[in-house]
Amino acid sequence: MTEKEDDVTTVVVLEHSRWLLADALDVDTAMTLIALVSEDPADWTEAMDVWPRYRTPAVAEFASSVPMDETDRESVATKLRSSEAWVAIDFRSKRLLTGGNFQEVGRDATFAMVVDESGKQQFPMSVHLPPWWELHELVTADELDQPRQSPIDKPVVDRNILFGDVMLMELATRVLETIKSDAWRTSGASDNEQARYPFTVAVHRDWLMTPREDLGGRMPRELLHGATQWSDRVTWGQRIRFEDGGPMVAAPRDWDGFATAPMGSQEMCLYFDLCRELINAAWFHGTKPNESPITVNAFSKLLCDVKDNWLESPFEGGSPPSFMIECDRRRVPRGVGVAIEGIDGAESESHLVDCDCPICQMMADGIFGVGFTRIDGHHLELDDEFAFSMLATRTAWEEQQKEDAEIQAEMDRRWAKHEANSDAVDPFASAWTGIGDDRPILGDNGGVLKMAFMVAEVVSELETSDACRDDITSLNECFAHYRRSGADDRRESASELKANLKTLADRYPQLTSRSVDLQSRIDESLRNPAIDENDLDFPF
């Protein structure tokens, strides 16, 4: 990424008790050292630990090849005054400073470290500075002697409280108190899940929103927030690196601050699910008829077993939460079947096995490359409670609530208009309700992906109509045979799929227009077959 091969940069490292200096590093190495700060290392040794997560062919293979020498403050000052470009990493005050003609980097950016002869950019390297690190770019060397502009406000997560005996005791106590209340008895919640749900929300909310002395007056909710965006961006950077051909390497777990490091969004979402799992289990065990009242201590021990079992059991048919949380804490994305250096096991793909969605089945076949999995957190917002929201502040949450209400009002208005005009028949209307754009999908060679979305809509209609299970399975099998077929058997598989679609239209008249349209698209694909890239003659 350098413009001139002889560009050099002075790099200074300030630790708690020593200065390190490299007086002639190439720009690519200097940029890589800046990227290491993304992991919030405490010192130079920890920074070198994450070199494999950022190393590209543009720099040395091993961190030990970076020539840093111990020196003193006066030597640093003398060198910086004569340097045309310099970088200073201040671990003591968590500051990154640059000066001279060193290029601006910014807090969040991705750089192509290699550009080949054709101009193609390769080997992306991401920089995502933690929010508690200060960035001072294009400053004078005197700035090194200045204090931070604000206190270091790094979130500290006490997982012993969030996941440990304190949380279990609190939930057990709140559940038992609720069961004894008049509101519980008059609601019929013991035998009615719907009536029980508001009590679940209340117990969960009160646990998160009650300030605690053992947290210095903070609420447990505050421990979930503060750095999710940063953590997710670092994880995303590792995904980009992997998709470009780099290795998947987990961040170290033996750093002193690992136990209390901030949460990412995946751990936050799973913590929500864990709390709900424990509260629901508590209702079940706390309301068993004809049993002696259970003590809080015994109840919390029972919930501990529930927690341990939940953490190690498949989550929605996939990997266990313990694995998912470790990946989030060590800032690596979860790619199906992808080995991760430093973590045993890989993301499971079993959650796709029984899915009737043709798109998911194509993902399972590897059509789109490695399938990366993450929890989007939408279920945290379903209760319309600030306590569970992924947004950190009430102000941001209230603004989001207002925007959502405006969007919903607009959708309701459009739907009402549609209903009012439903008697008018548009002869040019699409047969498909979920596909608004009839143009080909970019890169969809042969139109198979477009057809997959249409087959998915047919499957959805069959499920809504309580169709025979065999009809759904047969359609998916015929479509899978068609999309997997080669030139020699494409016509035969197309005929099978078309015959299947015709049979479905005969059995379910509401599918007639979609069946006819999809059959015509299959015929069109036979007239204009997909190009096999292996048959192309490339000029290089």
Side-chain angles (χ1 to χ4, degrees):
M1 61 176 292
T2 57
E3 296 183 358
K4 297 187 301 180
E5 292 185 0
D6 59 349
D7 282 347
V8 294
T9 303
T10 298
V11 175
V12 173
V13 171
L14 171 58
E15 293 185 317
H16 290 277
S17 59
R18 65 172 181 168
W19 292 84
L20 300 176
L21 174 67
D23 61 2
L25 290 183
D26 61 271
V27 175
D28 292 328
T29 298
M31 285 294 297
T32 303
L33 295 179
I34 289 174
L36 303 183
V37 176
S38 301
E39 304 286 344
D40 190 35
D43 52 34
W44 177 250
T45 300
E46 288 191 353
M48 293 299 95
D49 285 345
V50 293
W51 181 267
R53 282 169 57 85
Y54 293 87
R55 185 258 167 188
T56 65
V59 300
E61 181 176 0
F62 302 106
S64 57
S65 300
V66 180
M68 299 294 292
D69 298 320
E70 190 164 350
T71 185
D72 55 57
R73 178 65 183 91
E74 294 303 318
S75 299
V76 166
T78 301
K79 183 60 186 177
L80 291 185
R81 281 193 291 268
S82 62
S83 297
E84 293 187 2
W86 58 268
V87 172
I89 303 174
D90 181 0
F91 290 110
R92 182 173 60 190
S93 299
K94 293 192 180 295
R95 297 186 303 164
L96 176 66
L97 306 94
T98 67
N101 59 15
F102 193 84
Q103 70 179 87
E104 290 190 73
V105 178
R107 301 194 66 89
D108 293 286
T110 300
F111 300 91
M113 299 300 288
V114 175
V115 179
D116 63 21
E117 295 179 355
S118 67
K120 181 181 179 181
Q121 296 182 334
Q122 296 177 298
F123 301 104
M125 185 188 69
S126 297
V127 175
H128 300 293
L129 299 184
W132 49 91
W133 275 72
E134 288 187 355
L135 174 63
H136 303 276
E137 296 190 279
L138 305 180
V139 298
T140 65
D142 294 336
E143 188 72 23
L144 266 178
D145 295 321
Q146 300 302 314
R148 278 181 60 100
Q149 295 180 353
S150 60
I152 299 175
D153 187 21
K154 178 181 177 179
V156 177
V157 179
D158 191 332
R159 290 179 173 83
N160 289 328
I161 289 180
L162 287 182
F163 290 89
D165 291 341
V166 171
M167 182 263 289
L168 298 174
M169 289 286 288
E170 285 288 345
L171 293 183
T173 300
R174 293 176 188 278
V175 165
L176 290 177
E177 290 176 349
T178 300
I179 292 173
K180 297 175 183 177
S181 68
D182 292 338
W184 175 271
R185 286 192 291 269
T186 59
S187 69
S190 295
D191 304 313
N192 187 310
E193 183 177 353
Q194 186 174 358
R196 190 160 59 243
Y197 188 75
F199 294 99
T200 299
V201 171
V203 169
H204 191 180
R205 179 187 59 234
D206 291 347
W207 157 243
L208 291 177
M209 299 296 288
T210 302
R212 300 185 56 85
E213 290 186 10
D214 51 11
L215 293 178
R218 293 181 297 166
M219 299 180 292
R221 184 188 191 277
E222 295 178 65
L223 275 62
L224 312 182
H225 295 271
T228 55
Q229 287 188 348
W230 159 72
S231 181
D232 289 354
R233 285 169 178 165
V234 174
T235 301
W236 178 258
Q238 293 301 310
R239 173 173 171 174
I240 294 174
R241 170 183 168 84
F242 172 81
E243 290 177 334
D244 192 70
M248 188 72 79
V249 182
R253 61 172 300 131
D254 58 354
W255 288 3
D256 289 340
F258 179 78
T260 58
M263 278 193 181
S265 66
Q266 303 303 279
E267 185 179 10
M268 178 193 293
C269 292
L270 288 165
Y271 187 70
F272 173 94
D273 292 324
L274 172 61
C275 288
R276 291 297 169 95
E277 181 76 13
L278 293 172
I279 296 169
N280 288 330
W283 297 137
F284 175 77
H285 291 286
T287 57
K288 285 185 177 180
N290 304 321
E291 287 193 5
S292 302
I294 189 171
T295 65
V296 172
N297 285 336
F299 209 173
S300 65
K301 291 179 181 179
L302 186 151
L303 292 183
C304 184
D305 292 337
V306 173
K307 179 193 71 172
D308 293 343
N309 182 67
W310 183 84
L311 286 171
E312 300 304 327
S313 300
F315 181 80
E316 297 182 352
S319 298
S322 58
F323 172 80
M324 299 164 69
I325 290 173
E326 180 173 13
C327 287
D328 196 48
R329 294 186 63 188
R330 300 180 68 182
R331 295 187 285 277
V332 284
R334 294 180 286 111
V336 175
V338 174
I340 304 171
E341 294 183 22
I343 296 179
D344 293 333
E347 176 67 14
S348 170
E349 59 182 348
S350 60
H351 61 293
L352 296 175
V353 173
D354 298 324
C355 183
D356 287 323
C357 172
I359 306 296
C360 292
Q361 293 182 5
M362 291 173 71
M363 291 175 61
D365 285 350
I367 298 296
F368 309 115
V370 173
F372 282 91
T373 304
R374 70 185 312 275
I375 306 171
D376 63 14
H378 74 279
H379 61 301
L380 276 67
E381 311 290 346
L382 296 180
D383 292 321
D384 291 332
E385 286 273 1
F386 167 65
F388 314 130
S389 174
M390 296 184 73
L391 297 172
T393 67
R394 186 175 290 276
T395 298
W397 178 75
E398 290 174 348
E399 290 177 353
Q400 184 65 60
Q401 292 289 100
K402 181 180 178 181
E403 291 178 8
D404 290 345
E406 292 173 351
I407 293 173
Q408 185 61 51
E410 176 64 16
M411 292 175 63
D412 292 343
R413 185 190 67 78
R414 292 185 180 183
W415 180 252
K417 182 178 179 181
H418 169 76
E419 288 288 286
N421 298 327
S422 59
D423 293 336
V425 178
D426 182 0
F428 302 104
S430 171
W432 308 98
T433 59
I435 303 173
D437 191 341
D438 201 46
R439 292 175 295 179
I441 297 175
L442 184 64
D444 182 19
N445 198 10
V448 173
L449 180 56
K450 189 82 170 184
M451 291 184 195
F453 282 103
M454 295 173 176
V455 173
E457 187 168 318
V458 173
V459 168
S460 178
E461 179 64 32
L462 290 171
E463 292 175 335
T464 302
S465 304
D466 293 326
C468 172
R469 176 71 186 175
D470 290 343
D471 287 339
I472 297 175
T473 301
S474 178
L475 172 60
N476 272 322
E477 288 178 348
C478 287
F479 179 64
H481 183 203
Y482 171 77
R483 63 180 173 79
R484 293 168 182 163
S485 61
D488 294 339
D489 57 352
R490 175 56 63 90
R491 288 192 175 275
E492 178 182 351
S493 63
S495 296
E496 291 176 355
L497 179 57
K498 288 170 60 181
N500 183 279
L501 290 166
K502 186 177 185 304
T503 299
L504 289 175
D506 292 339
R507 293 178 181 172
Y508 310 96
Q510 69 271 28
L511 293 176
T512 299
S513 60
R514 280 171 278 201
S515 172
V516 171
D517 185 72
L518 188 46
Q519 289 180 64
S520 69
R521 292 173 187 270
I522 295 170
D523 289 335
E524 178 65 21
S525 71
L526 293 175
R527 290 191 293 271
N528 300 286
I531 298 174
D532 188 344
E533 294 182 356
N534 294 323
D535 294 335
L536 296 177
D537 293 325
F538 291 102
F540 50 84

